[in-house]
Amino acid sequence: MAPRSQHRAARKRRTALVVVSVAALALVVSAVVALAVAVRPDRKAADERPAPAPVAGAQVTRPPSTEPEPEPTPTSAPPSRKAAAAAPSAPATPATKRPSATPTPRPPAGSATLAGRIRPAVTYSGVATFYDAGSGDGACLFGPTDDVMTAAMNTTDYETSKACGAHVLVRTASGESVTVRITNECPGDCAPGQLDLSAEAFAAIADPVAGRIPITWTLLSPEKTDTLSVRYKSGSSRHWCGLQVLGHRNPVARLEVNSGGSWVALPRTEYNYFLSEKGTGCGGSIRVTDIYGEQLTVDGIALQPDVVQPTRVQFAAH
């Protein structure tokens, strides 16, 4: 049996070992705890760290958050629908209008649709002068005539011979009137609306001493018992021809020739002939249209230059 002193010594050694072990364990735990504290991120510090400011021209992408972000406070309250509706809108800018040409007066209902400057049921104003018409021939190339009641039309209203053969009623301010047929053109000093009457026609409405008087005039569609005629121009052949209409009641708007079963319109000259430069339709059927749109077809006209060939047709009176 060991003595008591040995037991006490052994107990002291065990106690010292336990104390050392506990102290060591405490040191280890303290180190682990300190390490854990040092490694753990500080959430509050991270949450309070300011977000990076956006850079001009760069796109900033924010990471998704598990917590709902508070709705931003608007800098100004949006207007209500009622307020928006009540707010006056900006006045519309008026469209810029393009300048237009001087409007041409519209002809009355029922007037000719193919008429040029001279239209039926329209009264024109101008002046009347007079000249020595001689044989009655003129720019329209109708040829000499015994009809002394003729007139020359100003160049503007002559309209490349479209006025040729038109009948117009001329009136003065005092009520005198005369009907004349347009056979010539008055160039130069004759203004739009002006008629240069034959000396005989002027004398019928005014004293020739006056020389120049204000007038009004209107297109007529006179009663006629004779029929219209057709004439081929001198030099016409199968290869080239010119055609003219004479004795027509109403102004002629168009002349066509038949070529291969189709109607071909011929251009009109200032000397009142319709020309077929390549001989198209020369010697064949002819179709004549007046300013009212009436069409007359003429067959059997021989290709004989400078011969007036009567037909059996005439335009209706209006």
Side-chain angles (χ1 to χ4, degrees), residues 202-243:
F202 189 93
I205 57 175
D207 188 338
V209 176
R212 182 185 183 93
I213 59 173
I215 59 167
T216 58
W217 53 274
T218 310
L219 182 67
L220 289 183
S221 178
E223 294 293 336
K224 293 176 70 72
T225 57
D226 57 340
T227 60
L228 58 81
S229 301
V230 175
R231 175 167 56 193
Y232 275 100
K233 196 179 187 309
S234 58
S236 292
S237 68
R238 295 286 180 181
H239 308 290
W240 178 95
C241 66
L243 283 157

Short mmCIF file of all heavy atoms in Angstrom, two decimals, residues 202-243:
data_model
loop_
_atom_site.label_atom_id
_atom_site.label_comp_id
_atom_site.label_asym_id
_atom_site.label_seq_id
_atom_site.Cartn_x
_atom_site.Cartn_y
_atom_site.Cartn_z
N PHE A 202 -68.55 97.57 -137.65
CA PHE A 202 -68.40 98.66 -136.68
C PHE A 202 -69.43 99.75 -136.94
O PHE A 202 -70.04 100.29 -136.00
CB PHE A 202 -66.99 99.25 -136.75
CG PHE A 202 -66.67 100.22 -135.66
CD1 PHE A 202 -66.06 99.80 -134.49
CD2 PHE A 202 -66.98 101.57 -135.78
CE1 PHE A 202 -65.76 100.69 -133.47
CE2 PHE A 202 -66.69 102.48 -134.78
CZ PHE A 202 -66.08 102.03 -133.61
N ALA A 203 -69.64 100.06 -138.20
CA ALA A 203 -70.60 101.12 -138.56
C ALA A 203 -72.02 100.74 -138.17
O ALA A 203 -72.88 101.62 -138.00
CB ALA A 203 -70.51 101.41 -140.05
N ALA A 204 -72.28 99.44 -138.01
CA ALA A 204 -73.63 99.00 -137.65
C ALA A 204 -73.95 99.29 -136.19
O ALA A 204 -75.14 99.29 -135.80
CB ALA A 204 -73.78 97.52 -137.94
N ILE A 205 -72.94 99.56 -135.38
CA ILE A 205 -73.20 99.79 -133.95
C ILE A 205 -72.69 101.13 -133.45
O ILE A 205 -73.03 101.53 -132.32
CB ILE A 205 -72.58 98.66 -133.08
CG1 ILE A 205 -71.07 98.53 -133.33
CG2 ILE A 205 -73.29 97.33 -133.34
CD1 ILE A 205 -70.37 97.53 -132.42
N ALA A 206 -71.86 101.81 -134.22
CA ALA A 206 -71.31 103.09 -133.74
C ALA A 206 -70.84 103.92 -134.92
O ALA A 206 -70.61 103.41 -136.03
CB ALA A 206 -70.17 102.83 -132.77
N ASP A 207 -70.68 105.19 -134.68
CA ASP A 207 -70.14 106.10 -135.68
C ASP A 207 -68.65 105.80 -135.85
O ASP A 207 -67.90 105.79 -134.86
CB ASP A 207 -70.34 107.54 -135.22
CG ASP A 207 -69.98 108.55 -136.29
OD1 ASP A 207 -69.20 108.21 -137.21
OD2 ASP A 207 -70.47 109.69 -136.19
N PRO A 208 -68.20 105.53 -137.07
CA PRO A 208 -66.78 105.24 -137.28
C PRO A 208 -65.85 106.33 -136.77
O PRO A 208 -64.67 106.06 -136.49
CB PRO A 208 -66.68 105.10 -138.80
CG PRO A 208 -68.05 104.67 -139.22
CD PRO A 208 -68.99 105.38 -138.29
N VAL A 209 -66.35 107.55 -136.61
CA VAL A 209 -65.52 108.63 -136.09
C VAL A 209 -65.01 108.29 -134.69
O VAL A 209 -63.91 108.70 -134.29
CB VAL A 209 -66.31 109.96 -136.09
CG1 VAL A 209 -65.48 111.07 -135.44
CG2 VAL A 209 -66.71 110.35 -137.50
N ALA A 210 -65.80 107.55 -133.92
CA ALA A 210 -65.40 107.18 -132.55
C ALA A 210 -64.12 106.35 -132.58
O ALA A 210 -63.23 106.49 -131.73
CB ALA A 210 -66.51 106.42 -131.85
N GLY A 211 -64.01 105.47 -133.55
CA GLY A 211 -62.79 104.68 -133.74
C GLY A 211 -62.59 103.55 -132.74
O GLY A 211 -62.07 102.49 -133.08
N ARG A 212 -63.04 103.75 -131.51
CA ARG A 212 -62.80 102.76 -130.44
C ARG A 212 -63.88 102.92 -129.40
O ARG A 212 -64.04 104.00 -128.82
CB ARG A 212 -61.41 103.01 -129.84
CG ARG A 212 -60.98 102.03 -128.75
CD ARG A 212 -59.64 102.49 -128.17
NE ARG A 212 -59.12 101.56 -127.18
CZ ARG A 212 -58.28 100.57 -127.43
NH1 ARG A 212 -57.84 100.39 -128.68
NH2 ARG A 212 -57.85 99.77 -126.48
N ILE A 213 -64.60 101.85 -129.13
CA ILE A 213 -65.72 101.92 -128.19
C ILE A 213 -65.69 100.71 -127.24
O ILE A 213 -65.22 99.63 -127.62
CB ILE A 213 -67.08 101.97 -128.92
CG1 ILE A 213 -67.25 100.72 -129.79
CG2 ILE A 213 -67.21 103.24 -129.76
CD1 ILE A 213 -68.63 100.59 -130.43
N PRO A 214 -66.20 100.87 -126.01
CA PRO A 214 -66.31 99.71 -125.10
C PRO A 214 -67.46 98.80 -125.53
O PRO A 214 -68.51 99.29 -125.97
CB PRO A 214 -66.58 100.35 -123.74
CG PRO A 214 -67.21 101.66 -124.06
CD PRO A 214 -66.59 102.13 -125.34
N ILE A 215 -67.25 97.51 -125.41
CA ILE A 215 -68.27 96.54 -125.83
C ILE A 215 -68.29 95.35 -124.86
O ILE A 215 -67.39 95.17 -124.04
CB ILE A 215 -68.00 95.99 -127.25
CG1 ILE A 215 -66.61 95.31 -127.28
CG2 ILE A 215 -68.14 97.06 -128.31
CD1 ILE A 215 -66.35 94.47 -128.52
N THR A 216 -69.33 94.54 -125.01
CA THR A 216 -69.38 93.20 -124.43
C THR A 216 -69.74 92.25 -125.57
O THR A 216 -70.38 92.66 -126.54
CB THR A 216 -70.42 93.09 -123.31
OG1 THR A 216 -71.71 93.44 -123.82
CG2 THR A 216 -70.06 94.01 -122.14
N TRP A 217 -69.34 91.02 -125.46
CA TRP A 217 -69.67 90.07 -126.52
C TRP A 217 -69.86 88.66 -125.96
O TRP A 217 -69.31 88.31 -124.92
CB TRP A 217 -68.64 90.07 -127.65
CG TRP A 217 -67.21 89.90 -127.23
CD1 TRP A 217 -66.34 90.86 -126.82
CD2 TRP A 217 -66.47 88.67 -127.20
NE1 TRP A 217 -65.10 90.34 -126.53
CE2 TRP A 217 -65.14 88.99 -126.77
CE3 TRP A 217 -66.76 87.35 -127.51
CZ2 TRP A 217 -64.15 88.04 -126.63
CZ3 TRP A 217 -65.77 86.38 -127.37
CH2 TRP A 217 -64.48 86.74 -126.93
N THR A 218 -70.65 87.87 -126.66
CA THR A 218 -71.05 86.53 -126.20
C THR A 218 -71.05 85.57 -127.38
O THR A 218 -71.46 85.94 -128.49
CB THR A 218 -72.45 86.56 -125.56
OG1 THR A 218 -72.53 87.60 -124.60
CG2 THR A 218 -72.78 85.23 -124.89
N LEU A 219 -70.63 84.34 -127.12
CA LEU A 219 -70.64 83.30 -128.16
C LEU A 219 -72.07 82.92 -128.52
O LEU A 219 -72.93 82.80 -127.64
CB LEU A 219 -69.89 82.08 -127.66
CG LEU A 219 -69.76 80.90 -128.64
CD1 LEU A 219 -68.89 81.28 -129.82
CD2 LEU A 219 -69.19 79.68 -127.91
N LEU A 220 -72.31 82.71 -129.83
CA LEU A 220 -73.63 82.30 -130.31
C LEU A 220 -73.56 80.95 -131.00
O LEU A 220 -72.50 80.53 -131.48
CB LEU A 220 -74.18 83.33 -131.31
CG LEU A 220 -74.62 84.71 -130.79
CD1 LEU A 220 -75.18 85.52 -131.96
CD2 LEU A 220 -75.65 84.57 -129.69
N SER A 221 -74.71 80.28 -131.06
CA SER A 221 -74.87 79.06 -131.86
C SER A 221 -76.05 79.33 -132.79
O SER A 221 -77.20 78.99 -132.48
CB SER A 221 -75.14 77.86 -130.95
OG SER A 221 -75.36 76.68 -131.70
N PRO A 222 -75.79 79.98 -133.91
CA PRO A 222 -76.87 80.51 -134.74
C PRO A 222 -77.65 79.44 -135.50
O PRO A 222 -77.18 78.30 -135.67
CB PRO A 222 -76.14 81.43 -135.71
CG PRO A 222 -74.80 80.79 -135.87
CD PRO A 222 -74.46 80.22 -134.53
N GLU A 223 -78.82 79.82 -135.96
CA GLU A 223 -79.59 78.95 -136.83
C GLU A 223 -78.93 78.94 -138.21
O GLU A 223 -78.61 79.99 -138.77
CB GLU A 223 -81.03 79.44 -136.93
CG GLU A 223 -81.81 79.34 -135.63
CD GLU A 223 -82.05 77.90 -135.20
OE1 GLU A 223 -82.04 77.00 -136.08
OE2 GLU A 223 -82.22 77.66 -133.99
N LYS A 224 -78.73 77.76 -138.75
CA LYS A 224 -78.12 77.63 -140.08
C LYS A 224 -78.83 76.52 -140.82
O LYS A 224 -79.17 75.49 -140.25
CB LYS A 224 -76.62 77.31 -139.98
CG LYS A 224 -75.77 78.43 -139.42
CD LYS A 224 -74.32 78.03 -139.27
CE LYS A 224 -73.60 77.86 -140.58
NZ LYS A 224 -73.34 79.16 -141.26
N THR A 225 -79.03 76.74 -142.10
CA THR A 225 -79.70 75.73 -142.92
C THR A 225 -78.72 74.95 -143.78
O THR A 225 -79.03 73.85 -144.23
CB THR A 225 -80.74 76.39 -143.83
OG1 THR A 225 -80.11 77.38 -144.64
CG2 THR A 225 -81.85 77.04 -142.99
N ASP A 226 -77.53 75.51 -143.99
CA ASP A 226 -76.56 74.81 -144.82
C ASP A 226 -75.74 73.84 -143.98
O ASP A 226 -75.75 73.90 -142.75
CB ASP A 226 -75.65 75.81 -145.55
CG ASP A 226 -74.94 76.74 -144.58
OD1 ASP A 226 -75.42 76.89 -143.44
OD2 ASP A 226 -73.90 77.32 -144.96
N THR A 227 -74.99 72.97 -144.63
CA THR A 227 -74.17 71.99 -143.93
C THR A 227 -72.72 72.44 -143.95
O THR A 227 -72.34 73.36 -144.68
CB THR A 227 -74.29 70.62 -144.61
OG1 THR A 227 -73.84 70.72 -145.97
CG2 THR A 227 -75.74 70.12 -144.58
N LEU A 228 -71.90 71.79 -143.13
CA LEU A 228 -70.48 72.15 -143.10
C LEU A 228 -69.75 71.51 -144.29
O LEU A 228 -70.23 70.56 -144.91
CB LEU A 228 -69.84 71.77 -141.77
CG LEU A 228 -69.87 70.31 -141.30
CD1 LEU A 228 -68.78 69.47 -141.95
CD2 LEU A 228 -69.72 70.25 -139.79
N SER A 229 -68.58 72.04 -144.57
CA SER A 229 -67.75 71.55 -145.68
C SER A 229 -66.35 71.21 -145.18
O SER A 229 -65.93 71.64 -144.10
CB SER A 229 -67.67 72.60 -146.79
OG SER A 229 -68.95 72.92 -147.28
N VAL A 230 -65.62 70.45 -145.98
CA VAL A 230 -64.25 70.06 -145.66
C VAL A 230 -63.35 70.40 -146.85
O VAL A 230 -63.75 70.24 -148.02
CB VAL A 230 -64.16 68.55 -145.35
CG1 VAL A 230 -62.71 68.12 -145.13
CG2 VAL A 230 -65.00 68.20 -144.14
N ARG A 231 -62.15 70.82 -146.57
CA ARG A 231 -61.20 71.14 -147.64
C ARG A 231 -59.81 70.62 -147.27
O ARG A 231 -59.35 70.79 -146.14
CB ARG A 231 -61.15 72.65 -147.86
CG ARG A 231 -60.09 73.09 -148.88
CD ARG A 231 -60.27 74.54 -149.30
NE ARG A 231 -60.26 75.48 -148.19
CZ ARG A 231 -60.65 76.74 -148.31
NH1 ARG A 231 -61.10 77.21 -149.48
NH2 ARG A 231 -60.62 77.54 -147.26
N TYR A 232 -59.15 70.00 -148.26
CA TYR A 232 -57.75 69.60 -148.12
C TYR A 232 -56.86 70.77 -148.54
O TYR A 232 -57.15 71.48 -149.51
CB TYR A 232 -57.43 68.38 -148.98
CG TYR A 232 -57.77 67.05 -148.33
CD1 TYR A 232 -58.94 66.37 -148.66
CD2 TYR A 232 -56.90 66.48 -147.40
CE1 TYR A 232 -59.25 65.16 -148.07
CE2 TYR A 232 -57.20 65.26 -146.81
CZ TYR A 232 -58.37 64.62 -147.14
OH TYR A 232 -58.67 63.41 -146.55
N LYS A 233 -55.78 70.95 -147.83
CA LYS A 233 -54.86 72.05 -148.11
C LYS A 233 -54.08 71.78 -149.40
O LYS A 233 -53.87 70.62 -149.79
CB LYS A 233 -53.89 72.25 -146.94
CG LYS A 233 -53.16 73.58 -146.97
CD LYS A 233 -52.25 73.70 -145.77
CE LYS A 233 -51.64 75.10 -145.70
NZ LYS A 233 -51.01 75.54 -146.95
N SER A 234 -53.63 72.84 -150.01
CA SER A 234 -52.80 72.69 -151.20
C SER A 234 -51.54 71.90 -150.85
O SER A 234 -50.93 72.09 -149.80
CB SER A 234 -52.41 74.06 -151.75
OG SER A 234 -51.72 74.80 -150.76
N GLY A 235 -51.16 70.99 -151.75
CA GLY A 235 -49.99 70.15 -151.53
C GLY A 235 -50.31 68.85 -150.81
O GLY A 235 -49.40 68.03 -150.57
N SER A 236 -51.56 68.63 -150.43
CA SER A 236 -51.92 67.40 -149.70
C SER A 236 -51.79 66.18 -150.61
O SER A 236 -52.06 66.22 -151.81
CB SER A 236 -53.35 67.50 -149.17
OG SER A 236 -53.44 68.48 -148.16
N SER A 237 -51.38 65.07 -150.00
CA SER A 237 -51.25 63.79 -150.71
C SER A 237 -51.42 62.67 -149.69
O SER A 237 -51.77 62.91 -148.53
CB SER A 237 -49.88 63.69 -151.40
OG SER A 237 -48.85 63.60 -150.41
N ARG A 238 -51.14 61.44 -150.14
CA ARG A 238 -51.21 60.29 -149.22
C ARG A 238 -50.08 60.33 -148.18
O ARG A 238 -50.14 59.63 -147.17
CB ARG A 238 -51.10 58.99 -150.01
CG ARG A 238 -52.28 58.73 -150.95
CD ARG A 238 -53.50 58.31 -150.17
NE ARG A 238 -54.64 58.05 -151.06
CZ ARG A 238 -55.83 57.68 -150.64
NH1 ARG A 238 -56.07 57.56 -149.33
NH2 ARG A 238 -56.81 57.46 -151.49
N HIS A 239 -49.09 61.13 -148.41
CA HIS A 239 -47.91 61.17 -147.53
C HIS A 239 -47.94 62.36 -146.58
O HIS A 239 -47.22 62.38 -145.58
CB HIS A 239 -46.65 61.21 -148.39
CG HIS A 239 -46.58 60.12 -149.42
ND1 HIS A 239 -46.40 58.79 -149.09
CD2 HIS A 239 -46.71 60.16 -150.78
CE1 HIS A 239 -46.39 58.06 -150.19
NE2 HIS A 239 -46.57 58.87 -151.24
N TRP A 240 -48.73 63.36 -146.88
CA TRP A 240 -48.85 64.55 -146.04
C TRP A 240 -50.14 65.26 -146.43
O TRP A 240 -50.47 65.37 -147.63
CB TRP A 240 -47.67 65.49 -146.26
CG TRP A 240 -47.76 66.78 -145.46
CD1 TRP A 240 -47.20 67.01 -144.25
CD2 TRP A 240 -48.45 67.98 -145.82
NE1 TRP A 240 -47.50 68.29 -143.83
CE2 TRP A 240 -48.28 68.91 -144.79
CE3 TRP A 240 -49.23 68.35 -146.93
CZ2 TRP A 240 -48.82 70.18 -144.80
CZ3 TRP A 240 -49.78 69.62 -146.95
CH2 TRP A 240 -49.57 70.54 -145.89
N CYS A 241 -50.88 65.73 -145.45
CA CYS A 241 -52.10 66.44 -145.80
C CYS A 241 -52.52 67.38 -144.67
O CYS A 241 -52.11 67.20 -143.52
CB CYS A 241 -53.25 65.48 -146.12
SG CYS A 241 -53.82 64.47 -144.72
N GLY A 242 -53.29 68.38 -145.05
CA GLY A 242 -53.87 69.30 -144.10
C GLY A 242 -55.37 69.36 -144.34
O GLY A 242 -55.82 69.35 -145.48
N LEU A 243 -56.16 69.39 -143.26
CA LEU A 243 -57.62 69.37 -143.36
C LEU A 243 -58.21 70.57 -142.65
O LEU A 243 -57.73 70.98 -141.58
CB LEU A 243 -58.18 68.08 -142.74
CG LEU A 243 -58.06 66.81 -143.59
CD1 LEU A 243 -58.10 65.58 -142.71
CD2 LEU A 243 -59.16 66.78 -144.64
#
